[in-house]
Amino acid sequence: MTTYEIHLDTVQNFSDYIYMLEHFSFRGMIRAGKCYMEPGDLISLFECALGDTFLLQINCGDRDELDALEEYLRQTGLLLEYRCIA
């Protein structure tokens, strides 16, 4: 599992997040505060969020897809911090 700390504090970041959901195929969850949900459950995402920082936890078997997603997060500025969790 790979976890990315992302932030959605601007309209542009939110737009980039939506683009990511539409253009990358991955399985995982997102955590907002103490709530876990599907990455595309945007209404619940903002109902549970205490701030603008979220943990995007990805289970992806395709390393190329994961590398492309990570690069996208960096290029758009969505990525705050990167770490791998065993």
Side-chain angles (χ1 to χ4, degrees):
M1 179 172 30
T2 304
T3 300
Y4 299 96
E5 189 173 351
I6 62 173
H7 59 121
L8 301 173
D9 58 346
T10 67
V11 172
Q12 183 60 52
N13 284 347
F14 184 73
S15 176
D16 292 336
Y17 182 80
I18 300 271
Y19 180 92
M20 177 196 73
L21 293 176
E22 294 173 348
H23 292 88
F24 291 93
S25 59
F26 63 90
R27 294 182 314 277
M29 298 295 290
I30 191 161
R31 189 176 87 190
K34 295 183 180 182
C35 300
Y36 288 86
M37 65 212 72
E38 295 292 323
D41 193 355
L42 298 175
I43 292 172
S44 294
L45 180 69
F46 287 102
E47 286 178 352
C48 294
L50 300 176
D52 59 5
T53 300
F54 306 91
L55 294 180
L56 176 63
Q57 297 176 337
I58 296 177
N59 301 315
C60 184
D62 184 351
R63 187 69 217 175
D64 291 336
E65 180 79 6
L66 186 59
D67 288 344
L69 175 59
E70 183 179 326
E71 183 61 26
Y72 174 78
L73 291 173
R74 282 196 174 109
Q75 287 178 351
T76 59
L78 287 171
L79 184 64
L80 285 178
E81 179 183 329
Y82 168 76
R83 65 180 180 274
C84 287
I85 298 175

PDB file of all heavy atoms in Angstrom, residues 13-40:
ATOM      1  N   ASN A  13      -6.844  22.673  -7.058  1.00  0.00           N
ATOM      2  CA  ASN A  13      -6.486  21.367  -6.491  1.00  0.00           C
ATOM      3  C   ASN A  13      -7.662  20.401  -6.567  1.00  0.00           C
ATOM      4  O   ASN A  13      -7.488  19.220  -6.872  1.00  0.00           O
ATOM      5  CB  ASN A  13      -6.030  21.507  -5.041  1.00  0.00           C
ATOM      6  CG  ASN A  13      -4.639  22.067  -4.926  1.00  0.00           C
ATOM      7  OD1 ASN A  13      -3.894  22.148  -5.891  1.00  0.00           O
ATOM      8  ND2 ASN A  13      -4.282  22.482  -3.728  1.00  0.00           N
ATOM      9  N   PHE A  14      -8.848  20.881  -6.295  1.00  0.00           N
ATOM     10  CA  PHE A  14     -10.040  20.043  -6.378  1.00  0.00           C
ATOM     11  C   PHE A  14     -10.248  19.581  -7.820  1.00  0.00           C
ATOM     12  O   PHE A  14     -10.536  18.411  -8.070  1.00  0.00           O
ATOM     13  CB  PHE A  14     -11.254  20.823  -5.878  1.00  0.00           C
ATOM     14  CG  PHE A  14     -12.507  20.016  -5.843  1.00  0.00           C
ATOM     15  CD1 PHE A  14     -12.703  19.038  -4.880  1.00  0.00           C
ATOM     16  CD2 PHE A  14     -13.494  20.224  -6.781  1.00  0.00           C
ATOM     17  CE1 PHE A  14     -13.864  18.286  -4.856  1.00  0.00           C
ATOM     18  CE2 PHE A  14     -14.657  19.478  -6.762  1.00  0.00           C
ATOM     19  CZ  PHE A  14     -14.842  18.512  -5.797  1.00  0.00           C
ATOM     20  N   SER A  15     -10.076  20.468  -8.773  1.00  0.00           N
ATOM     21  CA  SER A  15     -10.198  20.124 -10.190  1.00  0.00           C
ATOM     22  C   SER A  15      -9.149  19.082 -10.583  1.00  0.00           C
ATOM     23  O   SER A  15      -9.450  18.126 -11.310  1.00  0.00           O
ATOM     24  CB  SER A  15     -10.040  21.388 -11.038  1.00  0.00           C
ATOM     25  OG  SER A  15     -10.051  21.079 -12.403  1.00  0.00           O
ATOM     26  N   ASP A  16      -7.920  19.247 -10.098  1.00  0.00           N
ATOM     27  CA  ASP A  16      -6.854  18.281 -10.384  1.00  0.00           C
ATOM     28  C   ASP A  16      -7.168  16.924  -9.770  1.00  0.00           C
ATOM     29  O   ASP A  16      -6.883  15.881 -10.356  1.00  0.00           O
ATOM     30  CB  ASP A  16      -5.510  18.789  -9.858  1.00  0.00           C
ATOM     31  CG  ASP A  16      -5.004  19.996 -10.618  1.00  0.00           C
ATOM     32  OD1 ASP A  16      -5.396  20.191 -11.783  1.00  0.00           O
ATOM     33  OD2 ASP A  16      -4.202  20.754 -10.035  1.00  0.00           O
ATOM     34  N   TYR A  17      -7.790  16.915  -8.591  1.00  0.00           N
ATOM     35  CA  TYR A  17      -8.178  15.662  -7.940  1.00  0.00           C
ATOM     36  C   TYR A  17      -9.240  14.938  -8.770  1.00  0.00           C
ATOM     37  O   TYR A  17      -9.160  13.730  -8.986  1.00  0.00           O
ATOM     38  CB  TYR A  17      -8.693  15.954  -6.529  1.00  0.00           C
ATOM     39  CG  TYR A  17      -9.077  14.712  -5.755  1.00  0.00           C
ATOM     40  CD1 TYR A  17      -8.110  13.933  -5.142  1.00  0.00           C
ATOM     41  CD2 TYR A  17     -10.408  14.324  -5.641  1.00  0.00           C
ATOM     42  CE1 TYR A  17      -8.451  12.788  -4.430  1.00  0.00           C
ATOM     43  CE2 TYR A  17     -10.759  13.185  -4.936  1.00  0.00           C
ATOM     44  CZ  TYR A  17      -9.781  12.428  -4.331  1.00  0.00           C
ATOM     45  OH  TYR A  17     -10.127  11.300  -3.635  1.00  0.00           O
ATOM     46  N   ILE A  18     -10.226  15.673  -9.241  1.00  0.00           N
ATOM     47  CA  ILE A  18     -11.285  15.087 -10.089  1.00  0.00           C
ATOM     48  C   ILE A  18     -10.662  14.506 -11.365  1.00  0.00           C
ATOM     49  O   ILE A  18     -11.014  13.402 -11.784  1.00  0.00           O
ATOM     50  CB  ILE A  18     -12.327  16.158 -10.464  1.00  0.00           C
ATOM     51  CG1 ILE A  18     -12.968  16.729  -9.218  1.00  0.00           C
ATOM     52  CG2 ILE A  18     -13.344  15.606 -11.442  1.00  0.00           C
ATOM     53  CD1 ILE A  18     -14.175  16.035  -8.710  1.00  0.00           C
ATOM     54  N   TYR A  19      -9.734  15.247 -11.961  1.00  0.00           N
ATOM     55  CA  TYR A  19      -9.052  14.753 -13.167  1.00  0.00           C
ATOM     56  C   TYR A  19      -8.338  13.440 -12.856  1.00  0.00           C
ATOM     57  O   TYR A  19      -8.387  12.490 -13.641  1.00  0.00           O
ATOM     58  CB  TYR A  19      -8.062  15.802 -13.669  1.00  0.00           C
ATOM     59  CG  TYR A  19      -7.304  15.372 -14.908  1.00  0.00           C
ATOM     60  CD1 TYR A  19      -7.787  15.693 -16.169  1.00  0.00           C
ATOM     61  CD2 TYR A  19      -6.121  14.640 -14.819  1.00  0.00           C
ATOM     62  CE1 TYR A  19      -7.104  15.294 -17.311  1.00  0.00           C
ATOM     63  CE2 TYR A  19      -5.441  14.231 -15.945  1.00  0.00           C
ATOM     64  CZ  TYR A  19      -5.927  14.566 -17.191  1.00  0.00           C
ATOM     65  OH  TYR A  19      -5.254  14.151 -18.309  1.00  0.00           O
ATOM     66  N   MET A  20      -7.672  13.372 -11.702  1.00  0.00           N
ATOM     67  CA  MET A  20      -6.961  12.163 -11.305  1.00  0.00           C
ATOM     68  C   MET A  20      -7.923  10.981 -11.233  1.00  0.00           C
ATOM     69  O   MET A  20      -7.627   9.895 -11.726  1.00  0.00           O
ATOM     70  CB  MET A  20      -6.295  12.368  -9.944  1.00  0.00           C
ATOM     71  CG  MET A  20      -5.587  11.145  -9.402  1.00  0.00           C
ATOM     72  SD  MET A  20      -5.221  11.265  -7.633  1.00  0.00           S
ATOM     73  CE  MET A  20      -6.853  11.063  -6.934  1.00  0.00           C
ATOM     74  N   LEU A  21      -9.093  11.177 -10.641  1.00  0.00           N
ATOM     75  CA  LEU A  21     -10.074  10.098 -10.519  1.00  0.00           C
ATOM     76  C   LEU A  21     -10.537   9.609 -11.887  1.00  0.00           C
ATOM     77  O   LEU A  21     -10.802   8.428 -12.073  1.00  0.00           O
ATOM     78  CB  LEU A  21     -11.286  10.564  -9.702  1.00  0.00           C
ATOM     79  CG  LEU A  21     -11.030  10.868  -8.226  1.00  0.00           C
ATOM     80  CD1 LEU A  21     -12.308  11.401  -7.584  1.00  0.00           C
ATOM     81  CD2 LEU A  21     -10.525   9.652  -7.487  1.00  0.00           C
ATOM     82  N   GLU A  22     -10.633  10.530 -12.839  1.00  0.00           N
ATOM     83  CA  GLU A  22     -11.121  10.180 -14.173  1.00  0.00           C
ATOM     84  C   GLU A  22     -10.062   9.530 -15.048  1.00  0.00           C
ATOM     85  O   GLU A  22     -10.399   8.772 -15.953  1.00  0.00           O
ATOM     86  CB  GLU A  22     -11.653  11.427 -14.877  1.00  0.00           C
ATOM     87  CG  GLU A  22     -12.895  12.008 -14.226  1.00  0.00           C
ATOM     88  CD  GLU A  22     -13.310  13.334 -14.833  1.00  0.00           C
ATOM     89  OE1 GLU A  22     -12.521  13.929 -15.598  1.00  0.00           O
ATOM     90  OE2 GLU A  22     -14.431  13.780 -14.531  1.00  0.00           O
ATOM     91  N   HIS A  23      -8.778   9.818 -14.804  1.00  0.00           N
ATOM     92  CA  HIS A  23      -7.732   9.408 -15.743  1.00  0.00           C
ATOM     93  C   HIS A  23      -6.733   8.374 -15.226  1.00  0.00           C
ATOM     94  O   HIS A  23      -5.881   7.924 -15.981  1.00  0.00           O
ATOM     95  CB  HIS A  23      -6.982  10.648 -16.237  1.00  0.00           C
ATOM     96  CG  HIS A  23      -7.836  11.516 -17.105  1.00  0.00           C
ATOM     97  ND1 HIS A  23      -8.646  12.512 -16.596  1.00  0.00           N
ATOM     98  CD2 HIS A  23      -8.033  11.511 -18.435  1.00  0.00           C
ATOM     99  CE1 HIS A  23      -9.282  13.090 -17.581  1.00  0.00           C
ATOM    100  NE2 HIS A  23      -8.954  12.505 -18.704  1.00  0.00           N
ATOM    101  N   PHE A  24      -6.836   8.007 -13.961  1.00  0.00           N
ATOM    102  CA  PHE A  24      -5.957   6.975 -13.419  1.00  0.00           C
ATOM    103  C   PHE A  24      -6.814   5.853 -12.854  1.00  0.00           C
ATOM    104  O   PHE A  24      -7.855   6.113 -12.247  1.00  0.00           O
ATOM    105  CB  PHE A  24      -5.050   7.535 -12.318  1.00  0.00           C
ATOM    106  CG  PHE A  24      -4.017   8.492 -12.830  1.00  0.00           C
ATOM    107  CD1 PHE A  24      -4.263   9.853 -12.855  1.00  0.00           C
ATOM    108  CD2 PHE A  24      -2.796   8.035 -13.300  1.00  0.00           C
ATOM    109  CE1 PHE A  24      -3.318  10.741 -13.334  1.00  0.00           C
ATOM    110  CE2 PHE A  24      -1.840   8.922 -13.773  1.00  0.00           C
ATOM    111  CZ  PHE A  24      -2.108  10.274 -13.803  1.00  0.00           C
ATOM    112  N   SER A  25      -6.375   4.637 -13.079  1.00  0.00           N
ATOM    113  CA  SER A  25      -7.116   3.493 -12.538  1.00  0.00           C
ATOM    114  C   SER A  25      -6.342   2.928 -11.356  1.00  0.00           C
ATOM    115  O   SER A  25      -5.193   2.521 -11.493  1.00  0.00           O
ATOM    116  CB  SER A  25      -7.324   2.430 -13.619  1.00  0.00           C
ATOM    117  OG  SER A  25      -6.087   1.993 -14.120  1.00  0.00           O
ATOM    118  N   PHE A  26      -6.962   2.956 -10.200  1.00  0.00           N
ATOM    119  CA  PHE A  26      -6.329   2.427  -8.995  1.00  0.00           C
ATOM    120  C   PHE A  26      -7.418   2.016  -8.012  1.00  0.00           C
ATOM    121  O   PHE A  26      -8.561   2.448  -8.114  1.00  0.00           O
ATOM    122  CB  PHE A  26      -5.392   3.461  -8.361  1.00  0.00           C
ATOM    123  CG  PHE A  26      -6.087   4.712  -7.880  1.00  0.00           C
ATOM    124  CD1 PHE A  26      -6.585   4.795  -6.593  1.00  0.00           C
ATOM    125  CD2 PHE A  26      -6.234   5.800  -8.725  1.00  0.00           C
ATOM    126  CE1 PHE A  26      -7.231   5.949  -6.157  1.00  0.00           C
ATOM    127  CE2 PHE A  26      -6.871   6.957  -8.296  1.00  0.00           C
ATOM    128  CZ  PHE A  26      -7.370   7.032  -7.008  1.00  0.00           C
ATOM    129  N   ARG A  27      -7.046   1.181  -7.084  1.00  0.00           N
ATOM    130  CA  ARG A  27      -7.932   0.803  -5.991  1.00  0.00           C
ATOM    131  C   ARG A  27      -7.357   1.407  -4.718  1.00  0.00           C
ATOM    132  O   ARG A  27      -6.146   1.443  -4.536  1.00  0.00           O
ATOM    133  CB  ARG A  27      -8.005  -0.717  -5.846  1.00  0.00           C
ATOM    134  CG  ARG A  27      -8.645  -1.411  -7.014  1.00  0.00           C
ATOM    135  CD  ARG A  27      -8.733  -2.914  -6.792  1.00  0.00           C
ATOM    136  NE  ARG A  27      -7.512  -3.516  -6.283  1.00  0.00           N
ATOM    137  CZ  ARG A  27      -6.469  -3.878  -7.037  1.00  0.00           C
ATOM    138  NH1 ARG A  27      -6.487  -3.672  -8.338  1.00  0.00           N
ATOM    139  NH2 ARG A  27      -5.412  -4.440  -6.490  1.00  0.00           N
ATOM    140  N   GLY A  28      -8.232   1.853  -3.854  1.00  0.00           N
ATOM    141  CA  GLY A  28      -7.748   2.406  -2.605  1.00  0.00           C
ATOM    142  C   GLY A  28      -8.833   3.117  -1.834  1.00  0.00           C
ATOM    143  O   GLY A  28     -10.016   3.005  -2.135  1.00  0.00           O
ATOM    144  N   MET A  29      -8.410   3.856  -0.837  1.00  0.00           N
ATOM    145  CA  MET A  29      -9.312   4.598   0.032  1.00  0.00           C
ATOM    146  C   MET A  29      -8.712   5.969   0.279  1.00  0.00           C
ATOM    147  O   MET A  29      -7.519   6.184   0.066  1.00  0.00           O
ATOM    148  CB  MET A  29      -9.462   3.889   1.383  1.00  0.00           C
ATOM    149  CG  MET A  29     -10.051   2.498   1.305  1.00  0.00           C
ATOM    150  SD  MET A  29     -11.764   2.474   0.727  1.00  0.00           S
ATOM    151  CE  MET A  29     -12.598   3.197   2.117  1.00  0.00           C
ATOM    152  N   ILE A  30      -9.555   6.873   0.756  1.00  0.00           N
ATOM    153  CA  ILE A  30      -9.044   8.163   1.196  1.00  0.00           C
ATOM    154  C   ILE A  30      -9.517   8.381   2.630  1.00  0.00           C
ATOM    155  O   ILE A  30     -10.612   7.961   3.001  1.00  0.00           O
ATOM    156  CB  ILE A  30      -9.489   9.314   0.266  1.00  0.00           C
ATOM    157  CG1 ILE A  30      -8.710  10.580   0.599  1.00  0.00           C
ATOM    158  CG2 ILE A  30     -10.986   9.516   0.289  1.00  0.00           C
ATOM    159  CD1 ILE A  30      -8.710  11.613  -0.483  1.00  0.00           C
ATOM    160  N   ARG A  31      -8.659   8.962   3.427  1.00  0.00           N
ATOM    161  CA  ARG A  31      -9.016   9.242   4.813  1.00  0.00           C
ATOM    162  C   ARG A  31      -9.117  10.738   5.003  1.00  0.00           C
ATOM    163  O   ARG A  31      -8.227  11.495   4.617  1.00  0.00           O
ATOM    164  CB  ARG A  31      -7.969   8.678   5.770  1.00  0.00           C
ATOM    165  CG  ARG A  31      -8.447   8.784   7.223  1.00  0.00           C
ATOM    166  CD  ARG A  31      -7.480   8.153   8.162  1.00  0.00           C
ATOM    167  NE  ARG A  31      -6.484   9.163   8.518  1.00  0.00           N
ATOM    168  CZ  ARG A  31      -5.368   8.898   9.186  1.00  0.00           C
ATOM    169  NH1 ARG A  31      -5.075   7.672   9.530  1.00  0.00           N
ATOM    170  NH2 ARG A  31      -4.534   9.857   9.484  1.00  0.00           N
ATOM    171  N   ALA A  32     -10.221  11.148   5.585  1.00  0.00           N
ATOM    172  CA  ALA A  32     -10.437  12.542   5.949  1.00  0.00           C
ATOM    173  C   ALA A  32     -10.774  12.547   7.431  1.00  0.00           C
ATOM    174  O   ALA A  32     -11.804  12.015   7.828  1.00  0.00           O
ATOM    175  CB  ALA A  32     -11.572  13.145   5.136  1.00  0.00           C
ATOM    176  N   GLY A  33      -9.906  13.093   8.243  1.00  0.00           N
ATOM    177  CA  GLY A  33     -10.106  13.002   9.684  1.00  0.00           C
ATOM    178  C   GLY A  33     -10.034  11.541  10.102  1.00  0.00           C
ATOM    179  O   GLY A  33      -9.083  10.853   9.801  1.00  0.00           O
ATOM    180  N   LYS A  34     -11.093  11.028  10.714  1.00  0.00           N
ATOM    181  CA  LYS A  34     -11.131   9.629  11.130  1.00  0.00           C
ATOM    182  C   LYS A  34     -12.012   8.787  10.221  1.00  0.00           C
ATOM    183  O   LYS A  34     -12.280   7.636  10.519  1.00  0.00           O
ATOM    184  CB  LYS A  34     -11.611   9.530  12.575  1.00  0.00           C
ATOM    185  CG  LYS A  34     -10.638  10.175  13.548  1.00  0.00           C
ATOM    186  CD  LYS A  34     -11.082  10.003  14.978  1.00  0.00           C
ATOM    187  CE  LYS A  34     -10.065  10.663  15.898  1.00  0.00           C
ATOM    188  NZ  LYS A  34     -10.403  10.504  17.300  1.00  0.00           N
ATOM    189  N   CYS A  35     -12.489   9.362   9.129  1.00  0.00           N
ATOM    190  CA  CYS A  35     -13.373   8.663   8.202  1.00  0.00           C
ATOM    191  C   CYS A  35     -12.584   8.106   7.025  1.00  0.00           C
ATOM    192  O   CYS A  35     -11.697   8.776   6.501  1.00  0.00           O
ATOM    193  CB  CYS A  35     -14.439   9.607   7.657  1.00  0.00           C
ATOM    194  SG  CYS A  35     -15.489  10.321   8.913  1.00  0.00           S
ATOM    195  N   TYR A  36     -12.925   6.896   6.616  1.00  0.00           N
ATOM    196  CA  TYR A  36     -12.353   6.279   5.425  1.00  0.00           C
ATOM    197  C   TYR A  36     -13.457   6.116   4.405  1.00  0.00           C
ATOM    198  O   TYR A  36     -14.580   5.745   4.765  1.00  0.00           O
ATOM    199  CB  TYR A  36     -11.775   4.894   5.755  1.00  0.00           C
ATOM    200  CG  TYR A  36     -10.517   4.948   6.568  1.00  0.00           C
ATOM    201  CD1 TYR A  36     -10.569   5.034   7.949  1.00  0.00           C
ATOM    202  CD2 TYR A  36      -9.277   4.913   5.940  1.00  0.00           C
ATOM    203  CE1 TYR A  36      -9.401   5.082   8.691  1.00  0.00           C
ATOM    204  CE2 TYR A  36      -8.108   4.954   6.686  1.00  0.00           C
ATOM    205  CZ  TYR A  36      -8.178   5.038   8.057  1.00  0.00           C
ATOM    206  OH  TYR A  36      -7.038   5.082   8.797  1.00  0.00           O
ATOM    207  N   MET A  37     -13.162   6.379   3.134  1.00  0.00           N
ATOM    208  CA  MET A  37     -14.161   6.251   2.092  1.00  0.00           C
ATOM    209  C   MET A  37     -13.496   6.004   0.754  1.00  0.00           C
ATOM    210  O   MET A  37     -12.272   6.097   0.630  1.00  0.00           O
ATOM    211  CB  MET A  37     -15.030   7.499   2.027  1.00  0.00           C
ATOM    212  CG  MET A  37     -14.258   8.746   1.611  1.00  0.00           C
ATOM    213  SD  MET A  37     -14.856  10.261   2.321  1.00  0.00           S
ATOM    214  CE  MET A  37     -14.353  10.104   4.013  1.00  0.00           C
ATOM    215  N   GLU A  38     -14.303   5.677  -0.227  1.00  0.00           N
ATOM    216  CA  GLU A  38     -13.807   5.524  -1.592  1.00  0.00           C
ATOM    217  C   GLU A  38     -13.284   6.878  -2.076  1.00  0.00           C
ATOM    218  O   GLU A  38     -13.863   7.919  -1.736  1.00  0.00           O
ATOM    219  CB  GLU A  38     -14.926   5.040  -2.515  1.00  0.00           C
ATOM    220  CG  GLU A  38     -15.449   3.658  -2.187  1.00  0.00           C
ATOM    221  CD  GLU A  38     -14.429   2.575  -2.468  1.00  0.00           C
ATOM    222  OE1 GLU A  38     -13.690   2.696  -3.456  1.00  0.00           O
ATOM    223  OE2 GLU A  38     -14.373   1.623  -1.682  1.00  0.00           O
ATOM    224  N   PRO A  39     -12.232   6.898  -2.886  1.00  0.00           N
ATOM    225  CA  PRO A  39     -11.677   8.173  -3.356  1.00  0.00           C
ATOM    226  C   PRO A  39     -12.677   9.054  -4.105  1.00  0.00           C
ATOM    227  O   PRO A  39     -12.585  10.262  -4.073  1.00  0.00           O
ATOM    228  CB  PRO A  39     -10.536   7.754  -4.288  1.00  0.00           C
ATOM    229  CG  PRO A  39     -10.148   6.407  -3.807  1.00  0.00           C
ATOM    230  CD  PRO A  39     -11.420   5.763  -3.321  1.00  0.00           C
ATOM    231  N   GLY A  40     -13.663   8.446  -4.758  1.00  0.00           N
ATOM    232  CA  GLY A  40     -14.633   9.228  -5.525  1.00  0.00           C
ATOM    233  C   GLY A  40     -15.835   9.692  -4.740  1.00  0.00           C
ATOM    234  O   GLY A  40     -16.693  10.393  -5.279  1.00  0.00           O
TER     235      GLY A  40
END
